[in-house]
Every structure is written in C-alpha cells, then in structure tokens.
C-alpha cells in the first residue's frame, strides 16, 4: 500500500470519527484495513488508526462495536475482516454485553502461542490487552511469544514500549513454558509457594557478565527464606534438565529455533547459576555446573555454541566457590573446553587461584586433580552395610563392582544397599562418571606436555603423577625420562628397558621418540607389549616428522599437507581440541587469518594456510549460516610468536602480512631453525587434521561429491600413499594380525590390509579405511556406525588408545572375514 493511500485512509478515518459517522467509520475500517493482506498473516492497523478508535467514548464507542459485529457477518468471506474486527473490539473503550468475539480472540491468540517470536506484534498486543481488559488471562504460550519477541528485539520504538507495558501487567508464568527445565520449575513453584517464585523472579533480573553486589544481597535475602539443601537440590535438578529437547515445538523465527535455549529463560538460568555460588560448596553443585558448561557450549550446525553466556555464568560460579571439587572442575573444563571466550575465563580463574596460593598455573592444575575416594592407585573399596563396593580404574574408565558378605561378585548393588545407603550409592555412581571425565581431561593435558616442555622435580612428580590415586593410572602407562634415563612402570617399580628398578632421581620429563634411535623406540614398543600396557595416547608409537628434502628445498614452508580438501567444521573442532586457533570462514567479503598455534615455550607461532571452496551450486558448498562447508589446504609456516599476523580473503589463499607504514613484514622462519620436537608435533597435528577431516575418508564420496569436482582427489586420497599415521598403523597391524581370531584370513601388503572372506577378497586401505573388493578392485561402501576410538570387539590388546581409523579398519576386517553372515542390506547388495 502506498504512503499516499495510507495517509488518505487515516484522514478518512479521522473525518468519520470527528463527524460522528460511526457506521461509515466501521465500513472504512473493515473494507480498507485488511484489503491487501491474508487472514493468516494480518499484522494489524497502524497506531494512528488505533488512536482514533481508542479516543471514542460512550455511545460512539458502543455504536462502533455493534457495527463491527454486524459488518463482520456481511463481510464474512473477505479475508481478514473477522480478525480485524476482533482486534478493533479489543481497543474500543466500552464493554460488549456478550463479548461476541471472545472465542475467536482466544483462538487467534493461540496461533501466536505456537510461534517462537514475531515482528507482527500489533494484533497480538491488541488481542492480549483486550483479553486482560475483560478480566481474562493471556495464555502462557502467548506470553512466552511476546517475551521472546521483545528479548530478540524484533519489536522496537513505541511498539516495544507498548508491549513492555502490557507484559508488566502479566505476572504469570514466571518463566516461559516449553523447555524441560522450565516446565519442571513451574510445576515445583506451583507447589512451593511465593518465596520460590520470588527467588526465580529475582533470577530473571540477572544481567551482565557477573552479579553485582546489590543483586547478590537480594539473592542472599531470598535464599535465607528457604532451606539451604532444598535450594541446592531444586536448582541443580532444574539445571540438570537444561539442554533436553523442547517439550513444545515452535514455528517461525530463525532456523533451528527448537534447538536454541529460550532467550527469556536464559536470564533466569543465569540468575539461578549465580545463586548456587552463594551457597556452601557441594559436590552436586560442582558436577551440575561443569556438565552445564559443556552442554551450553555444544555446537549446533549453523548456530554454533548453544549458549556461551550460560557457560560463562557456570564458570563464574565455579570460580567463586572454595574447595577441592570446584578447583578440580575448573581444571577439568580447562582441558576440555575449546570455546575461546569461556576458555579465557577458565584460565583467568585458575590464574587467580594459583596466585592466591603462590603457585604457577601448571602447579595448580596438577594439585586440582582429586582422588575421588581412591585409597591406592586406581582402586578403592567402600563398605556399605554387609556389602563391599570395589571402585576400579581400568584403562580410561572406572568400573563399580559389588560383593556380598560371602565374597560373591554381584552384577548390581543389592536391595539392602539401595534401601539403607541411598546417598552413599548415589555418590559412588556419580564418582564413576566424574572419574571418566577427569581421566579424559588429564590424558589430553598430559599429551600437551611435550610442547609445554614441562619438567618436574622427582619427588613432586612421584606424588602428583606416578603415585597419585587417579593420575597414576595414566602416568604408569607412559614412558618417562628420569635424569635422562628412559623408564616405564612395571611390576610395581619404575624400570629401565633392561628391567633395572629406578627408585630415585632429580628431574623428570615425558619421553618422546624423536630424542631416541629407531632401534630403541622399537625396543620400548616391544617392552610395552610384553607388559600388556595400553598407553592413554600414542607415545611409543607416536609419529615422528623429520625434515624432508622437499622441505629443505622450499626452505621456509612445508607443502607436505597441501592440496587436501577438508570438511571445515570438523577441521575447526579438531584444531580447537589441539590448541589451534581457526576462525570459521564465511563466504563473505572479509579477511581471515590462517589456522595458527602459538608455542610460547618455544617463542614460535605455527600457521596452516587454508582457503574456502566455492562452487557453481552454492547450496552444495555453503552452509545455511553462510560458512564454507569445505576448505582447501596449503603451506605450513613458522614465525616468531610476536610477528604480525597474516590474513587472506575468505575464498583465497593469497596471504599477506599487514603491518603499519613504519614496520616491515616479518619473514617466515627457515624450517631448519625450528627445533625438531616442535616441528614434529606441529606437523603431527596437521596430519591429524587431514587424516580425520579429509573428504577422502568419506566412503559415500566415491562419486566425487557435489558436482563430482572432487573425484580425482577422493580416489587419490582414499587409496593413495600412506601418511605417517597410516605407516604407524601398518607396522602395528603387521605385529597385531597374528594374534587375531581371523589371522589366517588377513595379511598386510603395502597400503592395504587384505581380508579373505567366503565370498570375496577385500583390500582395506590403511589410511582412509575405505575398501576395494575382488574382482577388479570394485569399491565397497561400508559406513561405520559409531565405532569407538578404543578397542573393537575381538581384537584383544592394543598398545595405545585414540586411533579411530585403526578401530574402523579392524571392525571392517572382522565383518568381512565372515561376509556370508552379513545381514545389512546396504552391504549385501554390493557383495
């Protein structure tokens, strides 16, 4: 509708109202108001028109209301008329005797209650106000839509003020329904009384990164009105439900709206999280906040982390708590979380606690690991009545087993324990989960110590590592050097390769294969096998990356991992886990840095140059969020850590170093100047990125992916030469195969594991895990379903954890050796 037409209509409306031509005014409103819109998307009248209607009083107002009712029947087939009349009746300053549109108004409001949010607020506001004016109530779902719309700032100016004023009249529900936690909270509050509602209403006022003194004071006063244990138990129960699927699905708004947290409820959650920090520290509180932080940072496709602000609030609360459990959770999260903002907050919290204790960050992280009730390395026995519970750490997992008074092992805790010791039982089960999480975090922390160049005084190392009740289960499966003597733990002692015990020393550091001759490395691998030790990550079998002739020729960069096609989102996740910074590239006109990793102990910064990949069909190469789905890789370079950053256009690999006019660009360092261990560890990371994120690993890409443009790359990668990781795999399988139940059907030849089935012979590539079958090397597509990174069933001993491709290869070999027993139709159709 043109501006001129709108102005003319407003003037006619004013003219009819001023002259008292109420019937003509009613016709004008119904005939002209909704003429260009459909009933389902009517967005209401402009405010000037509504102001004219609101100004009517007495008989004029009543006459207009009656005329609208009459005309609605006449114009019943005209789109929007009934909705428009319903809305107008809501602003007329006079009661209707029978409120003829009450049902229609309520039903129309219900349609808004199914929306996530809307910018079409006029009708919703008018109908809601009308419902309140006649003594009714606005449905809770509609209140939620209004709140979300206002929170999302879809509505601004005078409309926002009007909606805010309307919401000020509505006190219920306290939080928006539709989420698992809020539904539980509303149910609990209905039974708990006004004090609980007051606390949650105060939680809704949480704003900013940290609670103010005034906010805390009010929260303390409110919690004092409630039993302390009840506050902790109820809030932790609610927070434990955060992240579960919505109980009511919504429509409209942005993509993935049902995966997001309700933005209005998020403020309440932040306030509740802060409230927990005002209570005495408790293990249940710490567990809940740690789990919540990880839940809130879990990424959703096209959306990113679900709620960094709530994760940050959880870290803030943990940092304010005293005691070992909170400190341990901060240390665990610092090893697990990769989101920059939250990780920075974790580091700040740990630095503050370290400073308060006069320790370094590394020392506080080591002291932060609790024993979890273990009274010796990896073991504890708890007596609950007549029964004993044995808590044992096996590998990277904790297990809980039970014994009755006669010593017989039980599959589950007996009824007597459940009845007489529910709290102890709950704590034991929680401890098992805590141990599993902490073991994973500590294994990752230990794996980073190579580049950290960490050294320990022998006595302190024995206390905090080798003999620590929990960390000892990891440390005793690793190799160390004590005063430059390589040692491993076996038969209750540290021992040299020759088996001599080592009981004292001055300085300890982690053993790395790059510092030792190949024959010695092989000897340590055999030593681990003899003692059936599975390392928590690759150490003795760790890949070593030495300079090649090609890299000596290029001088300042490595092309060893160039020209690969990687899935960008998976690459970014892996990079973050390994301590790299990789900004997600959007297909926009902007500059991006390369992926980089800072090595402060070496004074270096490593860069991996990448670029986004576009195509003719954007939907096949660009995500809904605008991010490139895939990237192309290029050089690896090293710079002094303080050197200016390079950057390139999002879709380009043409990197340039931007410096001020008074400065000169800093050249990348010769690779021969990079310490061998630093070079090897950086290239190992990059090899991991390629080995995991390459599209060549995808068994469904045999057609080359979108537009078939990656066919050549997929074929060359899927069945090409082996990289360093695959070479390690090949050497290991050569030793491992004779021990397998299917040993007589398997041989390792070149780049493949050959498996002789009953129907065909198969070749499994040791790099990608992809399969060719006889005759004619026909491709066989088998998509692995959740194969764990640990030990596949039936393989027996493996010398290290964490190689998912190795697990995939072994699982496929077990399957194909008995190909006549395969029942999956997606596989049998290819055999």
């Amino acid at each position: 509708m043109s501006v001129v037409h709108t102005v003319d209509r407003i003037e006619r409306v004013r003219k009819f109202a001023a002259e008292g031509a109420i019937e003509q005014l009613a016709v004008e409103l119904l005939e002209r108001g909704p003429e260009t819109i459909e009933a389902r998307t009517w967005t209401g009248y402009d405010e000037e028109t509504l102001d004219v209607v609101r100004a009517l009083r007495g008989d004029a107002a009543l006459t207009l209301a009656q005329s609208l009712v009459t005309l609605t029947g006449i114009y019943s087939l005209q789109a929007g008329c009934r909705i428009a009349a319903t809305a107008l009746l809501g602003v007329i300053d006079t009661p209707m005797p029978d409120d003829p549109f009450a049902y229609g108004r309520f039903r129309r409001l219900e349609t808004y209650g199914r929306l996530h949010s809307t910018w079409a607020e006029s009708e919703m506001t008018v109908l809601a106000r009308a419902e309140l004016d006649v003594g009714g109530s606005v449905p809770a779902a509609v209140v939620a839509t209004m709140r979300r719309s206002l929170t999302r700032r879809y509505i601004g100016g005078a409309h926002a003020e009007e909606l805010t004023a309307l919401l000020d009249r509505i006190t219920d529900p306290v939080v928006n329904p539709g989420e698992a936690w809020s539904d539980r909270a509303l149910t609990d509050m209905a039974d708990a009384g006004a004090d609980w509602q007051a606390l949650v209403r105060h939680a809704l006022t949480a704003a900013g990164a940290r609670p103010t003194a005034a906010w805390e004071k009010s929260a303390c006063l409110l919690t004092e009105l409630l039993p302390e244990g009840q506050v902790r138990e109820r809030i932790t129960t609610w927070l434990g439900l955060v992240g579960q699927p919505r109980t009511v699905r919504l429509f409209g708004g942005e993509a993935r709206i049902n995966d997001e947290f309700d933005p209005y409820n998020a403020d309440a959650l932040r306030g509740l999280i802060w409230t927990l920090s005002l209570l005495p520290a408790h293990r249940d509180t710490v567990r809940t906040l740690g789990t919540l932080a990880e839940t809130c940072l879990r990424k959703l496709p096209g959306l990113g982390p679900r709620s960094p602000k709530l994760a940050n609030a959880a870290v803030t609360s943990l940092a304010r708590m005293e005691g070992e459990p909170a400190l341990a959770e901060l240390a665990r999260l610092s090893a697990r979380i990769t989101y920059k903002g939250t990780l920075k907050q974790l580091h700040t919290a740990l630095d503050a606690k370290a400073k308060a204790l006069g320790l370094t960050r590394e020392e506080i992280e080591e002291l932060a690991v609790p024993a979890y009730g273990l009274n010796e390395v990896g073991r504890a026995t708890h007596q609950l009545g007549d029964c004993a519970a044995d808590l044992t750490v096996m590998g990277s997992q904790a297990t809980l087993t039970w014994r009755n008074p006669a010593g017989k092992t039980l599959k589950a805790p007996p009824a007597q324990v459940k009845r007489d010791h529910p709290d102890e039982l709950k704590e034991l089960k929680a401890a098992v989960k805590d141990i599993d999480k902490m073991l994973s975090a500590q294994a990752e922390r230990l794996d980073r110590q190579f580049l950290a160049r960490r050294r320990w005084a022998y006595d302190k190392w024995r206390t905090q590592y080798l003999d620590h009740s929990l960390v000892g289960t990891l440390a005793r499966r690793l190799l160390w050097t004590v005063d430059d003597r390589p040692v491993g733990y076996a038969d209750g002692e540290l021992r040299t390769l020759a088996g001599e015990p080592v009981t004292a020393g001055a300085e300890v550091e982690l053993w790395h294969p790059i510092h030792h001759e190949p024959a010695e490395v092989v000897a340590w691998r055999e030593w681990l096998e003899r003692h059936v030790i599975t390392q928590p990550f690759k150490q003795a079998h760790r890949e070593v990356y030495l300079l090649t002739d090609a890299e000596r020729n290029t001088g300042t960069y490595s092309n060893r991992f160039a020209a690969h096609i990687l899935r960008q989102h998976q690459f970014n996740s892996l990079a973050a886990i390994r301590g790299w910074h990789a900004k997600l590239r959007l297909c926009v006109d902007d500059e991006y840095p390369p992926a980089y990793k800072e090595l402060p102990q070496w004074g270096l910064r490593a860069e991996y140059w990448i670029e986004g990949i576009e195509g003719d069909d954007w939907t096949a190469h660009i995500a809904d969020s605008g991010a490139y789905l895939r990237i192309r890789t290029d050089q690896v370079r090293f710079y002094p850590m303080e050197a200016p950053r390079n950057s390139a256009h999002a879709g380009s690999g043409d990197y340039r170093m931007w410096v001020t006019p008074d400065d000169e660009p800093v050249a990348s360092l010769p690779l021969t100047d990079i310490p061998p261990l630093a070079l090897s560890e950086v290239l190992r990371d990059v090899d991991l990125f390629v080995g995991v994120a390459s599209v060549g690993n995808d068994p469904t890409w045999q057609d080359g992916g979108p537009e078939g443009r990656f066919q050549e790359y997929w074929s060359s990668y899927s069945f090409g030469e082996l990289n360093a990781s695959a070479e390690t795999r090949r050497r290991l399988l050569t030793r491992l195969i004779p021990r397998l139940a299917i040993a007589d059907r398997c041989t390792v030849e070149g780049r493949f594991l050959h498996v002789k089935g009953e129907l065909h012979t198969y070749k499994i590539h040791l790099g990608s895990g992809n399969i060719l079958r006889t005759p004619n090397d026909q491709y066989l597509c088998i998509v692995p379903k959740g194969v764990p990174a640990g030990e596949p069933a039936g393989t027996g001993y493996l010398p290290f954890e964490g190689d998912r491709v190795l697990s995939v290869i072994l699982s496929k070999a077990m399957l194909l050796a008995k190909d006549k027993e395969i029942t999956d139709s997606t596989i049998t159709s290819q055999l």
Side-chain angles (χ1 to χ4, degrees), residues 546-568:
L546 303 176
L547 275 181
T548 64
D549 290 339
E551 287 163 341
R552 290 189 179 90
N553 288 334
T554 56
T556 59
Y557 61 89
S558 169
N559 273 329
R560 197 185 305 199
F561 300 104
H564 287 280
I565 311 300
L566 310 185
R567 293 176 287 267
Q568 182 181 201

Side-chain angles (χ1 to χ4, degrees), residues 61-63 65-66 69 89 94-102 134:
L62 184 57
T63 300
Q66 292 170 336
V69 173
L89 284 171
T94 186
M96 287 289 291
D98 299 319
D99 195 3
F101 289 137
V134 298

